[in-house]
Amino acid sequence: MQSRREPTLADVAKVAGVSLTTVSRVLNNRGYLSEATRERVAEAIAELGYRPNQVARALHGKSTQTIGVIVPTVALPFFGELAVEIEDALAEHGYRILVCNSMGRADREREYLDLLVSHRVDGIISGAHNEHLEEYRTVRMPLVTVDRDLSPTIPNIRCDNKAGGRLATSLLLERGARRPALLTSRSGPHNLREAGYREVLAQAGIEPIVLTVDFHTPDEERAHLINEYLDEVGDIVDGVFATDDLSAAEVLEWAYTRKRTVPDQLKVIGFDGTSAVRRAMPGLATIRQPLADLARTAVGTLLSQIKTIADGGEIGGGPATPIILPVELFTGRTV
């Protein structure tokens, strides 16, 4: 019966008929070893299916070639596609990823952050939405964020949210909306999509209507709240800028059940433009984020930090200027 125990370095040494030190030297390509010895060790590794212990490698100061990625959940199209793009970009450089879904819980994000640090990943890319987690300030490894302000010293890769907000709101007004509402997860100065919306309305002399449903609201409750808020303002609102496409889909469903024709009686535009949503709702007007560029820029920034440390340098300590990438307007058929 085959053992279910993972083979160890000692097992490899025994099968190859060499010492532990010799196996270690082969794995790390150190010192002079005959080709015959290297072949015996390689054959033993293949026979046993031995996998190097990445944590042990890290404890010896070696790269694990692994990056941690923290997102709210890959079940959401934006974060699922972002994780795929990050994985693809890292694979080109020989790195693997560990994807951690925080599920909107700060305690779970803290646990995953501790797990990634304790497993000595080479770096972390965070796109989760929990705010004010002080634990990130104590991380002493390469770290970048995607569309998330964690600290002035941590590089933040994001799309031009404010420009996107302006484009979406301007399109609603151009197509005839006179009282467009904003549907967003959190209202405040950090919401740059909201800032773009308010800026355009201020220039047009229109009073803003801001509806907020928290990002982490469960799906069923979320749909109920959106319907409730839209029922309250439905008599005056003739357009909605939803700051994500799934919320825009909820608005379209509300319009359908309330017999409001789109775009004649209600104009709707979303934000993100993921492949999954484009396939499901090809006519939805939206602001497309450059997902592949966001992922590759985040990976490039992180690998630059990793190289700096490998070369004996230090990272952090000074302010990190956000890297802002352009968005694209897709007019669709809902405006």
Side-chain angles (χ1 to χ4, degrees), residues 12 15-18 22 34-46:
V12 174
V15 171
V18 298
T22 298
S34 69
E35 192 59 35
T37 298
R38 292 181 184 276
E39 287 179 3
R40 286 207 309 276
V41 171
E43 288 170 0
I45 289 172

Side-chain angles (χ1 to χ4, degrees), residues 2-320:
Q2 185 177 7
S3 171
R4 296 184 64 85
R5 177 178 66 84
E6 279 291 315
T8 66
L9 209 65
D11 295 328
V12 174
K14 182 177 180 180
V15 171
V18 298
S19 68
L20 277 170
T21 301
T22 298
V23 175
S24 178
R25 287 167 65 190
V26 170
L27 289 173
N28 293 291
N29 197 28
R30 288 182 178 174
Y32 172 77
L33 293 165
S34 69
E35 192 59 35
T37 298
R38 292 181 184 276
E39 287 179 3
R40 286 207 309 276
V41 171
E43 288 170 0
I45 289 172
E47 177 184 335
L48 295 170
Y50 172 75
R51 300 180 183 89
N53 186 320
Q54 297 301 325
V55 176
R57 286 179 58 82
L59 292 173
H60 287 87
K62 299 181 180 68
S63 168
T64 62
Q65 294 297 114
T66 304
I67 301 298
V69 177
I70 305 177
V71 294
T73 170
V74 293
L76 292 173
F78 176 79
F79 293 104
E81 292 182 23
L82 177 66
V84 169
E85 294 287 357
I86 289 173
E87 181 174 16
D88 188 47
L90 283 169
E92 292 178 6
H93 298 276
Y95 284 85
R96 297 153 298 186
I97 70 170
L98 292 175
V99 179
C100 305
N101 294 276
S102 70
M103 305 306 292
R105 291 169 43 184
D107 60 331
R108 182 171 291 188
E109 185 171 351
R110 291 189 182 96
E111 290 172 1
Y112 276 134
L113 186 61
D114 181 63
L115 174 73
L116 294 173
V117 172
S118 63
H119 277 65
R120 304 293 181 90
V121 295
D122 292 343
I124 296 173
I125 297 175
S126 178
H129 277 211
N130 295 302
E131 297 180 345
H132 312 303
L133 265 66
E134 292 296 324
E135 286 79 1
Y136 279 99
R137 299 179 186 275
T138 64
V139 173
R140 298 290 182 263
M141 67 169 54
L143 171 64
V144 301
T145 65
V146 176
D147 200 27
R148 183 183 188 191
D149 282 316
L150 281 177
S151 164
T153 62
I154 299 174
N156 177 16
I157 319 302
R158 63 174 186 250
C159 77
D160 197 336
N161 289 301
K162 190 173 183 179
R166 289 196 299 263
L167 283 171
T169 311
S170 295
L171 182 63
L172 290 174
L173 297 186
E174 289 169 9
R175 295 298 173 88
R178 292 294 171 259
R179 290 304 306 275
L182 177 78
L183 175 59
T184 190
S185 58
R186 291 175 187 171
S187 177
H190 292 296
N191 189 334
L192 297 177
R193 299 176 194 180
E194 177 185 354
Y197 162 82
R198 288 182 178 274
E199 185 177 288
V200 170
L201 290 194
Q203 292 170 353
I206 299 173
E207 190 71 21
I209 299 173
V210 178
L211 313 173
T212 59
V213 178
D214 189 87
F215 181 83
H216 301 305
T217 304
D219 289 345
E220 290 186 7
E221 183 182 347
R222 179 183 185 81
H224 174 75
L225 286 174
I226 290 175
N227 288 340
E228 189 176 87
Y229 292 153
L230 289 174
D231 283 340
E232 291 176 3
V233 300
D235 290 339
I236 59 173
V237 165
D238 57 2
V240 177
F241 166 33
T243 56
D244 70 88
D245 287 339
L246 295 183
S247 293
E250 295 283 3
V251 175
L252 292 174
E253 180 64 17
W254 174 85
Y256 175 77
T257 58
R258 293 341 185 243
K259 304 296 190 291
R260 296 281 295 273
T261 59
V262 177
D264 294 335
Q265 294 177 311
L266 185 71
K267 305 178 194 310
V268 181
I269 185 168
F271 204 110
D272 284 338
T274 60
S275 297
V277 173
R278 291 205 308 272
R279 287 196 298 270
M281 297 187 295
L284 176 66
T286 190
I287 304 296
R288 288 177 176 168
Q289 295 204 57
L291 263 167
D293 289 344
L294 285 170
R296 291 187 178 279
T297 303
V299 167
T301 303
L302 190 73
L303 295 184
S304 178
Q305 292 184 9
I306 292 172
K307 185 177 186 304
T308 296
I309 291 178
D311 292 342
E314 295 184 359
I315 57 174

